[in-house]
Amino acid sequence: MTNGNLFAALPATRPPAEVFEILVERAGWKVERIVSWGHVTAPGEWFDQTTDEFVALLSGAARLQVEGEPAPRELAPGDWVFLPAHVRHRVEWTDEGIPTVWLAIHAVP
């Protein structure tokens, strides 16, 4: 058995890149913590994942653009999104003043 705290060991200052930490991984699924701090998806790039993803914003703030939607989704703590496999999306903005903590669950569809 393993356990932890989703807000433990957050960076004290803005890291050069987003921080991805796999918390639990099993056949067909994984749970990860993502810490963004003013980080965005590079211009012209999209995430196009082979797994379904459930993502919840735990702290901070973000804007998530889903391909085909007219405007980015504004995300605040407690908001979540389910992204089926191959739904292209990108992070347009994250708060530059504090860490934005995401909890992502990836599952094979």
Side-chain angles (χ1 to χ4, degrees):
M1 183 166 70
T2 60
N3 68 296
N5 184 294
L6 294 169
F7 300 108
L10 291 175
T13 59
R14 184 183 190 269
E18 281 184 303
V19 178
F20 294 84
E21 178 186 4
I22 296 174
L23 304 175
V24 180
E25 187 168 20
R26 298 290 182 267
W29 61 275
K30 74 177 176 180
V31 177
E32 68 182 342
R33 179 180 80 166
I34 305 165
V35 180
S36 308
W37 197 332
H39 300 99
V40 299
T41 307
E45 290 187 20
W46 292 86
F47 292 106
D48 184 355
Q49 300 165 175
T50 59
T51 59
D52 290 340
E53 180 181 16
F54 172 92
V55 63
L57 194 81
L58 303 178
S59 67
R63 288 189 204 105
L64 181 71
Q65 180 68 55
V66 176
E67 188 174 47
E69 293 187 349
R73 295 171 182 229
E74 299 277 341
L75 301 176
D79 291 338
W80 61 271
V81 178
F82 176 73
L83 299 159
H86 299 293
V87 168
R88 288 170 32 119
H89 58 284
R90 51 182 286 109
V91 177
E92 291 288 327
W93 174 84
T94 59
D95 195 321
E96 293 185 16
I98 59 171
T100 295
V101 180
W102 312 74
L103 181 68
I105 302 169
H106 299 269
V108 176

